[in-house]
Amino acid sequence: MSRNVVVLLDNPDGRALVRDACRTSGILFFEFQELVQAEVEQTGKQRKKGLWDDFDDILDRIQVDD
């Protein structure tokens, strides 16, 4: 399933809003997209086995200054 099912990422205005929010938060847009994709791929599944591992892997790469 494509991340484009997330409406904000499916149009230029939405993508711009998300990019700005990521920039403000110190998160790379690409990493945000990875987190969304990990969740979207689990949509409809009864068990979300491995989802937290995917999130942990992505979040470990994000360097956010406090």
Side-chain angles (χ1 to χ4, degrees):
M1 184 178 296
S2 168
R3 72 177 149 263
N4 290 338
V5 299
V6 179
V7 176
L8 281 174
L9 298 178
D10 196 33
N11 67 69
D13 292 336
R15 290 176 75 80
L17 287 171
V18 173
R19 277 186 199 277
D20 289 343
C22 286
R23 189 176 303 116
T24 300
S25 300
I27 298 171
L28 295 176
F29 181 68
F30 175 77
E31 291 167 336
F32 174 81
Q33 286 181 301
E34 283 187 295
L35 290 169
V36 170
Q37 185 64 32
E39 177 61 30
V40 167
E41 288 173 355
Q42 300 300 317
T43 302
K45 294 183 181 178
Q46 287 184 332
R47 294 183 64 212
K48 296 186 177 193
K49 183 177 180 180
L51 179 61
W52 295 115
D53 293 335
D54 291 345
F55 278 1
D56 288 343
D57 290 343
I58 296 165
L59 292 172
D60 284 343
R61 292 192 314 246
I62 297 174
Q63 298 295 320
V64 179
D65 295 328
D66 291 331

